[in-house]
Amino acid sequence: SQKIEQNSEALNIQEGKTATLTCNYTNYSPAYLQWYRQDPGRGPVFLLLIRENEKEKRKERLKVTFDTTLKQSLFHITASQPADSATYLCALERGNNAGNMLTFGGGTRLMVKP
Amino acid sequence: DGGITQSPKYLFRKEGQNVTLSCEQNLNHDAMYWYRQDPGQGLRLIYYSQIVNDFQKGDIAEGYSVSREKKESFPLTVTSAQKNPTAFYLCASSIRGTGELFFGEGSRLTVL
């Protein structure tokens, strides 16, 4: 089965800096990978999806890369703001005709200080 | 507004009792899912349903049961057979065949 590693330690950065979060996986390479944001006590909210044939995807201040050789995805938030403070979850498509089945990482908590 | 509604948000249960968590969506999505989240851990899939009147076990289905009698509704019952039921439960839906999941606000179950 797929194993996903996200840094369990919180990432603390200063406002205005770029935050970079890492998602590493083992075993098979998924057809696509997703990133979600989760605030305390709330459900996750979808941010971005990147497919295996895409190297990079952007949405406003967000950028995701997908390296199938390294089996890694990087999630960047540029010009970070305190409102970006949350836990960010990486999720991988399971493959094997599993439809929308996703395997989630444990998430990395981001703290942006003013 | 379209979305997913979970209820109750907080629930306390005595050991040995069954409880049912509600999940309703008005997004007209075919697929619905139940996940469990424990502190510091990723979401784990309990059950999923790709279509009405059909559902499949996920990774941790033991001690849980579901039904899918209507497209809009996918209730989850946590039975007394579930050994560690205290957790945050999340319901989600998606358009069949696409990746993005839409989540509800979650239900926090505490067993006393």
Side-chain angles (χ1 to χ4, degrees):
Chain A
S1 63
Q2 189 67 279
K3 185 178 179 181
I4 302 174
E5 293 180 357
Q6 291 188 259
N7 194 342
S8 59
E9 293 183 10
L11 177 63
N12 294 291
I13 65 168
Q14 204 66 34
E15 182 177 8
K17 301 293 185 183
T18 296
T20 298
L21 285 67
T22 303
C23 174
N24 294 302
Y25 60 93
T26 59
N27 301 331
Y28 68 89
S29 282
Y32 57 81
L33 182 153
Q34 303 180 25
W35 284 88
Y36 289 80
R37 168 184 173 140
Q38 186 175 25
D39 291 287
R42 309 286 299 272
V45 175
F46 172 81
L47 296 174
L48 283 166
L49 180 153
I50 185 165
R51 300 189 184 280
E52 61 180 339
N53 60 348
E54 299 174 312
K55 295 296 184 185
E56 179 181 299
K57 201 148 192 185
R58 293 175 184 261
K59 178 182 177 183
E60 298 173 351
R61 294 184 296 111
L62 309 180
K63 184 178 84 171
V64 172
T65 62
F66 193 6
D67 189 325
T68 56
T69 301
L70 291 178
K71 296 190 175 182
Q72 180 182 80
S73 175
L74 298 179
F75 177 81
H76 306 273
I77 305 176
T78 58
S80 60
Q81 305 165 1
D84 295 325
S85 298
T87 295
Y88 291 87
L89 307 172
C90 167
L92 274 62
E93 174 265 341
R94 293 192 179 197
N96 297 322
N97 277 335
N100 292 354
M101 297 306 105
L102 298 174
T103 297
F104 282 84
T108 298
R109 186 178 177 199
L110 173 66
M111 299 285 291
V112 181
K113 298 182 179 180
Chain B
D1 282 337
I4 299 181
T5 302
Q6 289 187 241
S7 63
K9 188 161 180 65
Y10 298 97
L11 185 61
F12 296 88
R13 184 193 97 173
K14 293 182 180 179
E15 283 191 18
Q17 289 181 335
N18 292 354
V19 292
T20 296
L21 307 180
S22 170
C23 179
E24 302 279 332
Q25 55 103 354
N26 60 3
L27 299 168
N28 199 32
H29 287 169
D30 287 312
M32 296 187 74
Y33 314 80
W34 275 104
Y35 285 90
R36 169 180 172 143
Q37 187 174 35
D38 294 284
Q41 295 192 33
L43 279 64
R44 292 184 288 168
L45 182 65
I46 305 173
Y47 267 98
Y48 64 98
S49 169
Q50 302 277 29
I51 198 167
V52 175
N53 292 322
D54 185 57
F55 50 83
Q56 306 296 330
K57 292 182 179 180
D59 302 317
I60 55 166
E62 185 176 351
Y64 300 97
S65 66
V66 294
S67 63
R68 187 85 188 276
E69 297 176 0
K70 298 187 299 182
K71 188 175 185 177
E72 306 79 32
S73 180
F74 192 41
L76 173 75
T77 296
V78 184
T79 75
S80 56
Q82 169 49 234
K83 298 190 186 310
N84 296 297
T86 295
F88 189 48
Y89 291 89
L90 288 159
C91 179
S93 70
S94 72
I95 299 172
R96 195 176 179 188
T98 68
E100 176 184 352
L101 296 184
F102 293 79
F103 283 89
E105 289 299 323
S107 292
R108 187 169 298 281
L109 172 64
T110 302
V111 174
L112 303 174

